[in-house]
């Protein structure tokens, strides 16, 4: 049993019952190729493009397609706790800085076989940022609140050391993100100090304080 858009390899010398074929299944006979994704073009600007020479590769492309709506937030937004912006004016006007913060939106077609490094590079180009810009991502926050107002951790921050190995598909499984259309909130974090290029132990961190009330 497979998904609607999934191509499953069957044994040609086996029986229909053994291969669990059902009425309405489509059977395609063709030369077998490697099941590993084959990159035909590794465009750093638009992301990798995968071979579609066989039906299985075409089905893999269809099942891996992601429509991603990306909202880029200003990294200087004040932290907002319970909707109150930490801008030094704790009154009815304290949310004004959040409401006026600029948000840039892009609709980007991605592939769940992309690595997080691919995603970071594509987003940097789309938003006119340096190619090595570190970008933190949050998935569809509750009530569409910005990253400055959520206790949730970025979905990619735990993979910074392995971002060229971990794929979007693996992140989907880790966070149980089943939808083919995502809304992602992004923040381009400030650059690390020059020493970070020498000492690889430098990292951005997010520190939250909680009172006892």
């Amino acid at each position: 049993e497979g998904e609607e858009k999934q191509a499953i390899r069957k044994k040609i010398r086996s029986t229909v019952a053994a291969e669990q074929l059902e009425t309405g299944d489509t059977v395609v006979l063709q030369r077998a190729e490697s099941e590993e994704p084959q990159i035909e073009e590794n465009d750093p600007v638009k992301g990798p493009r995968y071979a579609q020479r066989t039906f299985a590769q075409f089905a893999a492309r269809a099942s891996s397609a992601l429509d991603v709506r990306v909202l880029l937030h200003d990294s200087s937004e004040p932290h907002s706790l319970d909707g109150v912006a930490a801008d030094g004016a704790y009154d009815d006007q304290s949310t004004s800085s959040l409401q006026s913060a600029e948000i840039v939106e892009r609709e980007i077609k991605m592939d769940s076989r992309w690595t997080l490094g691919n995603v970071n590079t594509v987003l940097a180009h789309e938003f006119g940022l340096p190619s090595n810009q570190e970008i933190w991502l949050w998935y569809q926050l509750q009530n569409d609140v910005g990253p400055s107002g959520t206790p949730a951790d970025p979905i990619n921050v735990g993979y910074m050391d392995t971002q060229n190995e971990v794929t979007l598909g693996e992140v989907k499984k880790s966070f149980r993100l089943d939808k083919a259309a995502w809304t992602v909130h992004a923040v381009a974090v400030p650059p690390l100090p020059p020493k970070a290029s020498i000492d690889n132990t430098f990292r951005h961190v997010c520190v939250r304080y909680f009172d006892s009330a």
Side-chain angles (χ1 to χ4, degrees):
E1 183 179 353
E3 299 176 2
E4 181 181 354
K5 298 180 181 180
Q6 185 179 14
I8 303 176
R9 181 173 293 184
K10 299 294 184 178
K11 298 177 181 178
I12 195 171
R13 298 183 183 279
S14 184
T15 65
V16 171
E19 294 303 317
Q20 298 181 342
L21 293 175
E22 299 179 355
T23 303
D25 287 346
T26 300
V27 179
V28 179
L29 297 178
Q30 60 185 16
R31 180 176 296 179
E33 289 200 21
S34 171
E35 295 185 358
E36 292 296 320
Q38 299 179 33
I39 297 177
E40 283 196 331
E41 181 183 3
N42 196 359
D43 188 338
V45 172
K46 298 181 180 180
R49 295 291 182 269
Y50 298 91
Q52 297 186 56
R53 293 187 292 272
T54 67
F55 181 81
Q57 291 171 340
F58 176 80
R61 173 67 184 90
S63 62
S64 301
L66 293 173
D67 292 320
V68 184
R69 172 176 169 250
V70 184
L71 304 176
L72 180 67
H73 294 258
D74 187 347
S75 62
S76 62
E77 281 184 18
H79 181 61
S80 174
L81 183 62
D82 296 329
V84 180
D87 54 6
Y90 294 95
D91 52 31
D92 293 340
Q93 306 300 319
S94 59
T95 59
S96 60
S97 57
L98 287 180
Q99 295 170 350
S100 61
E102 182 180 2
I103 300 176
V104 184
E105 181 177 337
R106 295 283 190 277
E107 299 279 349
I108 305 174
K109 292 189 177 297
M110 297 187 183
D111 191 300
S112 63
R113 295 170 292 183
W114 286 7
T115 66
L116 292 178
N118 295 143
V119 175
N120 199 102
T121 302
V122 169
L123 292 182
H125 176 265
E126 284 287 335
F127 291 105
L129 302 170
S131 59
N132 60 346
Q133 173 69 58
E134 185 175 328
I135 301 173
W136 286 5
L137 304 173
W138 284 261
Y139 171 73
Q140 197 164 348
L141 301 174
Q142 187 175 7
N143 299 324
D144 226 22
V145 68
S148 62
T150 178
D153 291 325
I155 62 174
N156 62 327
V157 74
Y159 302 105
M160 287 304 173
D161 290 335
T162 56
Q163 65 173 344
N164 291 323
E165 302 169 13
V166 177
T167 66
L168 275 176
E170 292 170 323
V171 173
K172 281 182 66 177
K173 290 180 180 178
S174 297
F175 288 85
R176 298 180 181 178
L177 310 178
D178 298 326
K179 297 180 180 179
W182 295 7
T183 295
V184 173
H185 297 260
V187 174
V189 296
L192 291 168
K195 186 179 179 182
S197 61
I198 302 174
D199 186 348
N200 199 36
T201 61
F202 276 77
R203 291 290 182 274
H204 288 103
V205 296
C206 179
V207 179
R208 303 185 181 94
Y209 296 90
F210 299 89
D211 56 29
S212 58

